[in-house]
Amino acid sequence: MASICHSKSHHCFYSIWLCSVALSLLPPLASSYLYSDDKRDGLFPEILRDEAVARLNELGKVSDADGYLERTFMSPAAVRAGKLLGEWMEDAGLRTWVDQMGNVHGRTEGMNMTSDALLIGSHLDTVVDAGMFDGSLGIISAISALKVLNSTGMLGKLKRPVEVIAFSDEEGVRFQSTFLGSGAVAGILPVTTLQTSDKSGVTVQDALKKHSIDIAEESLSLLKYDPSSVWGYIEVHIEQGPVLEYVGFPLGVVKGIAGQTRLKVTVRGSQGHAGTVPMSMRQDPMAAAAELIVVLESLCKHPKDYLFYDGDSDATTLESLSSSLVCTVGEISTWPGASNVIPGQVTFTVDIRAIDDKGRGDVLHELSNRMYQICERRSVSCIIERKHNANAVICNSELSSQLKSAAHAALKKMTGKAQHEVPVLMSGAGHDAMAMADLTKVGMLFVRCRGGISHSPAEHVLDDDVWAAGMAVLAFLETHIENLNCVFPIVSIANPSRG
Ligand code: GLV
Ligand code: MN
Ligand code: MN
């Protein structure tokens, strides 16, 4: 798939992640966005801000660990979180169920139950030592907006069914393969996934069975939605990066999502005594792993020094890699793991992301070659396994412009002021929308977070930005309401006195 935001574009001169708004056009580092008096009609702060924030806090405490947030696929805390979300979906007037992959669904049929449905989702699982907004914000803002429609009697006036889905796994922490939840709904999970094991040898199938969910290989394909029954998928998510905060804007529209590859690298050497084996006689997998990790860092920092291309399209690939390629080793383990033992084995993960899929493939090829050469020189064995691969996704332009209008209208209504154009960004983080893009058109809205920090307990979203996210979903939903002309139209009627 072609690069969608390369550095030659005028709009992308500062950061590849900000596509449509030159940073110089917007005031940097606005400390807070000026929302208006929440007593005005049609802003629903008690549902879209106060209750939504209280629910995010409550969900943020549902953890398998003491002292930090951790919820992995079908863990006890994930199941508790799913129950809570189901209750909140019912409170919003939705009919709920849990599917055979542990996804929690809440649906309203609107005026025409045979019409194709709008799906809104995000994930309920977390990384280890997580923040409380990643995933949860998207689910809560959807539930809150639907609750507003329910409380104003408009839920039944929706032109089409609307379904919120809290996906059971996006982070892939437990089974090292992301999108177990959305992948099943999109129909892209291979049946072999059910037999994938976690570190304790528990398979995906066992993990579901433990919570009385029976799934056989034959039934996995039944979880896939019929594409003709789906109108589209939208997802609200924290940005997980610093751009919106920098430009001082609470919401942004996502143009596309970088592709990613995850590897598991196993290096085996000769286990031995730390005091007795001379340095010249060692086959040390730890020192080899260190060299492999440094070559990964160097290649990803300076792809131009490693990849040689000619021709215009190749130049574009290289430009795109230079600005978007990011590579990480986030997990490493050694066997047997003692200070006086030369390890016998070292295993580590590699996460590679780029907007240009061809470029990511080229990086992978070059990296594997170099890794095998290093292992050969050091007389250790290397196994490189690909655990996950997802191509870059371009969001649907029609959905993106509808989300942009919804965000714009919501902010205008909340501030009572004219607005800058809503920023358009690329996502370096993966999202359920990537899997759902195999099923239907997708669109995403980003919400500003403090310091761009995510996958950390320091992750933070302002209460008022949670409110803005809910207002934007509400404005989007209003465009799916039959003959909306009276109650609280956000999108269709501007307040002339406020400009
Ligand atoms: C999901 O959070 C990811 O790893 O991008
Ligand atoms: Mn995440
Ligand atoms: Mn996420």
Side-chain angles (χ1 to χ4, degrees):
M1 190 174 291
S3 157
I4 37 183
C5 181
H6 54 80
S7 57
K8 279 185 192 150
S9 154
H10 289 311
H11 301 312
C12 298
F13 63 88
Y14 175 82
S15 156
I16 61 107
W17 305 119
L18 181 66
C19 295
S20 78
V21 179
L23 292 178
S24 57
L25 297 181
L26 289 165
L29 298 171
S31 55
S32 73
Y33 203 77
L34 295 178
Y35 295 104
S36 80
D37 175 5
D38 59 5
K39 302 286 182 300
R40 283 173 46 206
D41 283 347
L43 295 177
F44 308 99
E46 61 297 335
I47 297 175
L48 297 176
R49 182 188 56 199
D50 307 343
E51 185 176 69
V53 169
R55 286 175 169 182
L56 283 162
N57 280 312
E58 187 173 346
L59 208 51
K61 295 192 182 85
V62 182
S63 174
D64 289 307
D66 281 337
Y68 59 91
L69 178 57
E70 174 179 349
R71 282 198 305 263
T72 56
F73 178 74
M74 292 313 286
S75 71
V79 172
R80 287 204 305 283
K83 286 212 173 86
L84 213 44
L85 288 165
E87 284 165 21
W88 294 338
M89 287 173 181
E90 281 169 16
D91 171 59
L94 309 179
R95 173 176 62 85
T96 64
W97 70 98
V98 178
D99 70 23
Q100 284 172 294
M101 203 36 95
N103 298 312
V104 182
H105 303 247
R107 183 173 171 112
T108 181
E109 302 299 341
M111 298 181 75
N112 184 359
M113 68 185 302
T114 58
S115 185
D116 44 1
L118 163 64
L119 308 182
I120 315 180
S122 201
H123 56 100
L124 64 81
D125 68 322
T126 72
V127 290
V128 178
D129 199 15
M132 65 178 201
F133 297 91
D134 179 1
S136 301
L137 178 62
I139 305 168
I140 297 292
S141 56
I143 294 174
S144 307
L146 285 162
K147 180 167 174 171
V148 168
L149 291 186
N150 195 32
S151 68
T152 52
M154 301 302 281
L155 202 59
K157 299 268 181 345
L158 285 160
K159 280 189 278 193
R160 62 182 74 257
V162 175
E163 185 172 320
V164 182
I165 313 181
F167 292 114
S168 55
D169 168 81
E170 185 272 343
E171 303 288 5
V173 169
R174 181 165 179 188
F175 291 97
Q176 299 292 304
S177 78
T178 63
F179 307 138
L180 289 179
S182 44
V185 171
I188 56 168
L189 272 195
V191 283
T192 48
T193 310
L194 293 178
Q195 301 314 326
T196 307
S197 303
D198 68 8
K199 284 177 186 153
S200 322
V202 177
T203 64
V204 169
Q205 195 173 31
D206 297 337
L208 288 158
K209 176 93 187 143
K210 188 156 185 257
H211 295 282
S212 314
I213 299 179
D214 276 313
I215 182 160
E217 291 190 356
E218 312 78 74
S219 40
L220 184 59
S221 61
L222 302 177
L223 295 182
K224 175 183 162 60
Y225 277 29
D226 175 356
S228 69
S229 71
V230 178
W231 177 81
Y233 171 82
I234 62 165
E235 180 167 356
V236 172
H237 204 281
I238 57 163
E239 182 200 342
Q240 308 183 279
V243 173
L244 290 175
E245 185 177 63
Y246 182 82
V247 299
F249 217 82
L251 301 173
V253 169
V254 180
K255 180 160 182 148
I257 309 170
Q260 53 175 275
T261 302
R262 293 190 193 178
L263 308 174
K264 177 180 171 193
V265 181
T266 306
V267 190
R268 292 202 183 98
S270 183
Q271 191 171 323
H273 196 294
T276 58
V277 184
M279 293 306 285
S280 60
M281 294 175 71
R282 295 186 181 202
Q283 292 160 277
D284 182 346
M286 182 67 97
E291 190 174 344
L292 299 180
I293 293 168
V294 170
V295 86
L296 168 78
E297 183 194 39
S298 174
L299 197 167
C300 296
K301 260 188 171 164
H302 311 289
K304 285 184 177 159
D305 296 349
Y306 288 81
L307 303 172
F308 300 99
Y309 290 119
D310 44 18
D312 280 355
S313 70
D314 287 346
T316 308
T317 298
L318 201 50
E319 274 309 310
S320 169
L321 281 178
S322 299
S323 59
S324 79
L325 179 64
V326 285
C327 305
T328 306
V329 173
E331 196 181 342
I332 186 161
S333 62
T334 71
W335 179 262
S339 60
N340 59 348
V341 182
I342 304 162
Q345 178 174 303
V346 174
T347 309
F348 62 92
T349 59
V350 176
D351 179 311
I352 302 175
R353 303 185 190 207
I355 290 168
D356 188 294
D357 289 329
K358 176 184 176 302
R360 181 167 45 89
D362 295 341
V363 168
L364 206 53
H365 183 74
E366 183 65 22
L367 177 70
S368 311
N369 282 344
R370 294 206 178 232
M371 281 186 158
Y372 285 128
Q373 280 164 17
I374 291 169
C375 290
E376 196 174 326
R377 173 165 49 74
R378 286 178 165 272
S379 302
V380 293
S381 81
C382 272
I383 302 167
I384 304 174
E385 295 168 85
R386 194 187 297 213
K387 300 301 255 185
H388 170 67
N389 198 65
N391 280 348
V393 162
I394 313 280
C395 292
N396 176 268
S397 57
E398 188 197 338
L399 260 181
S400 297
S401 79
Q402 289 165 8
L403 283 168
K404 204 173 186 181
S405 302
H408 192 266
L411 293 170
K412 188 170 175 191
K413 180 149 186 160
M414 291 176 78
T415 59
K417 293 200 192 84
Q419 295 294 311
H420 286 292
E421 203 184 328
V422 177
V424 178
L425 297 87
M426 285 300 302
S427 175
H431 299 290
D432 292 296
M434 294 178 94
M436 295 301 279
D438 266 71
L439 180 75
T440 186
K441 61 186 180 199
V442 301
M444 284 193 75
L445 202 61
F446 269 172
V447 183
R448 166 173 67 180
C449 59
R450 188 172 61 201
I453 296 169
S454 183
H455 285 187
S456 155
E459 189 175 279
H460 184 70
V461 176
L462 294 173
D463 293 359
D464 281 351
D465 288 359
V466 171
W467 184 20
M471 281 291 285
V473 179
L474 181 61
F476 185 85
L477 286 170
E478 283 181 350
T479 63
H480 291 265
I481 287 180
E482 202 66 63
N483 298 326
L484 179 75
N485 53 15
C486 49
V487 187
F488 47 84
I490 294 180
V491 168
S492 43
I493 299 176
N495 181 342
S497 64
R498 303 248 174 193

